[in-house]
Amino acid sequence: MNAPLIDPFARAITYLRVSVTDRCDFRCVYCMSENMQFLPKKELLTLEELDRMCSTFVDLGVKKLRITGGEPLVRRDIMTFFQSMSRHLDSGALEELTLTTNGSQLARFAQPLYDAGVRRVNISLDTLDEEKFVRVTRWGRLAQVLKGIDAAQAAGLKVKINAVALKDFNEDELITMTQWCASRDIALTWIEVMPMGDLGNEDRVGQYWSLNDLRHQLSQHYTLTELSERTGGPARYLRLEETGQKIGFITPLTHNFCESCNRVRLTCTGELYLCLGQEDMADLRAPLRNNPKDNVPLQEAIHQAIGLKPKGHDFDYSRQKADGQVTRHMSHTGG
Ligand code: SAM
Ligand code: SF4
């Protein structure tokens, strides 16, 4: 049962993303509705259950763990989870423990995260304009996030900014954000908006700003060199020759990256999603909770689930509607 996780397309699964909560202190327009209904507490895996779950994946060969949400740093006592996971870094079983955060709580948590062995952090930031920041996050305050970024860098964490490319919203900040990141030695990755969750009043096709267009706009200001490096995920990278900066592009809608996919996603309720763009999932909470002293049923359930990992996703905007759309929100599966 301790055999490594290999899916039906011979891809080794070595990367687990874990959403530790569906809650958040922001309400970003492309991610959540304003009046979200969150899950009752008993549905959530406890921190001890999350530990057992993640440790089982590490036993099965997972080398990289990314903690996400919702906003992972609003989960009560989450630092005890990070501290406990650091034992797998110490043993060498885990190569990297990292997180994706909106940055709002980093002023408090950057140093304890570093002390727990975290070395890199992805921070989501779509604009450097205070008023626009309120518009896109509904509840967020830019100054608090900027303080969080300062704290992360002061603690020694390598920061990467993830920005969602939004038409008529941050197009005009392409160069200012690039320059701001260069001046602070921060890597920048642009994400194409994905058709997640119910569309509600938000017209996600209207929000769509193609990264091909973004790249073209960048090429008017910088000399771009394509980099061959891949991470097993949907990101591709360019270097800006004038600044030496690396710019990432996550384009799930315009490129097929699935052939090298090495990852699966665990929700805070213990559902394992095999692909961000498909509904295929397996419940791991039952085998975990029903067998508190025996890990074999959980290992079996994980192996069985990996055996169902689909070849790829079906997102497509080409017909001017969000085809291949999945109904769950990003805050459920984690970004
Ligand atoms: N709260 C944390 C944060 O914002 O970084 C972690 C969870 S959030 C769901 C993870 C990432 O998903 C963020 O970078 C966010 O911008 C991105 N995201 C959310 N909804 C999206 C969508 N519809 N399309 C593309 N990216 C999305
Ligand atoms: Fe919260 Fe992150 Fe979703 Fe924004 S993108 S609402 S910060 S979970």
Side-chain angles (χ1 to χ4, degrees):
M1 261 308 120
N2 259 342
L5 300 170
I6 310 286
D7 83 356
F9 304 96
R11 296 171 297 195
I13 306 306
T14 55
Y15 181 177
L16 178 68
R17 289 193 174 214
V18 185
S19 173
V20 295
T21 176
D22 60 333
R23 287 163 200 260
C24 187
D25 51 347
F26 292 1
R27 292 288 182 278
C28 301
V29 294
Y30 45 72
C31 179
M32 292 195 181
S33 61
E34 191 143 24
N35 38 17
M36 289 288 288
Q37 291 285 336
F38 292 110
L39 294 162
K41 207 171 158 214
K42 66 175 187 337
E43 297 283 318
L44 300 190
L45 298 179
T46 64
L47 292 178
E48 293 71 26
E49 286 172 332
L50 277 168
D51 184 323
R52 216 182 122 204
M53 194 73 93
C54 293
S55 300
T56 305
F57 273 95
V58 172
D59 289 344
L60 297 177
V62 160
K63 299 275 175 234
K64 180 168 171 178
L65 206 54
R66 177 174 293 280
I67 309 306
T68 177
E71 174 45 43
L73 297 181
V74 302
R75 171 123 194 206
R76 186 193 295 240
D77 292 334
I78 192 63
M79 221 39 68
T80 58
F81 171 77
F82 278 100
Q83 283 151 2
S84 158
M85 280 298 109
S86 71
R87 72 185 186 277
H88 298 303
L89 291 170
D90 296 340
S91 77
L94 192 62
E95 286 168 9
E96 188 172 42
L97 174 63
T98 180
L99 75 155
T100 301
T101 170
N102 66 23
S104 69
Q105 308 301 314
L106 272 178
R108 271 198 293 161
F109 289 133
Q111 190 61 51
L113 284 168
Y114 187 91
D115 295 342
V118 174
R119 291 293 174 265
R120 296 195 304 148
V121 54
N122 286 2
I123 303 177
S124 304
L125 178 65
D126 304 328
T127 174
L128 290 168
D129 179 287
E130 236 175 287
E131 180 274 322
K132 278 161 78 177
F133 189 83
V134 173
R135 235 191 306 149
V136 73
T137 63
R138 294 202 189 97
W139 292 8
R141 293 290 168 273
L142 178 63
Q144 193 180 337
V145 171
L146 295 180
K147 268 195 200 140
I149 295 174
D150 287 342
Q153 291 197 294
L157 295 169
K158 191 93 188 132
V159 173
K160 192 181 89 181
I161 299 286
N162 283 340
V164 177
L166 295 166
K167 198 171 176 58
D168 300 329
F169 179 77
N170 51 14
E171 276 181 273
D172 58 344
E173 289 186 79
L174 177 59
I175 303 305
T176 43
M177 282 182 68
T178 306
Q179 289 169 340
W180 185 81
C181 286
S183 72
R184 306 191 52 143
D185 191 25
I186 289 177
L188 173 61
T189 288
W190 290 93
I191 312 176
E192 238 167 25
V193 73
M194 286 187 272
M196 310 297 286
D198 53 272
L199 289 181
N201 294 327
E202 306 296 339
D203 172 6
R204 254 171 263 276
V205 179
Q207 291 175 343
Y208 176 62
W209 174 21
S210 140
L211 295 195
N212 284 336
D213 185 53
L214 188 153
R215 182 194 163 120
H216 176 72
Q217 292 190 32
L218 260 188
S219 73
Q220 311 284 301
H221 293 83
Y222 300 99
T223 314
L224 312 182
T225 303
E226 192 97 35
L227 301 176
S228 57
E229 114 192 35
R230 295 302 301 267
T231 56
R236 285 171 193 273
Y237 297 95
L238 289 176
R239 190 173 52 236
L240 308 187
E241 291 305 334
E242 288 75 3
T243 62
Q245 238 171 319
K246 205 170 81 168
I247 306 282
F249 292 84
I250 300 186
T251 55
L253 303 175
T254 51
H255 284 111
N256 213 338
F257 54 85
C258 305
E259 69 283 351
S260 59
C261 184
N262 61 357
R263 60 198 60 192
V264 290
R265 294 173 160 81
L266 183 74
T267 70
C268 53
T269 58
E271 293 166 343
L272 187 71
Y273 279 89
L274 287 324
C275 169
L276 185 59
Q278 300 279 9
E279 302 286 0
D280 306 67
M281 62 95 164
D283 171 38
L284 298 183
R285 190 178 60 188
L288 177 95
R289 279 198 179 159
N290 296 342
N291 304 280
K293 298 242 170 331
D294 179 8
N295 253 6
V296 172
L298 177 60
Q299 292 181 341
E300 278 172 359
I302 295 173
H303 271 288
Q304 220 170 40
I306 298 298
L308 299 174
K309 187 167 161 65
K311 194 165 182 195
H313 66 69
D314 304 319
F315 288 141
D316 182 9
Y317 276 147
S318 60
R319 278 169 275 171
Q320 292 308 305
K321 67 183 181 74
D323 272 7
Q325 186 182 335
V326 290
T327 51
R328 62 186 190 273
H329 284 263
M330 198 76 149
S331 55
H332 184 59
T333 14

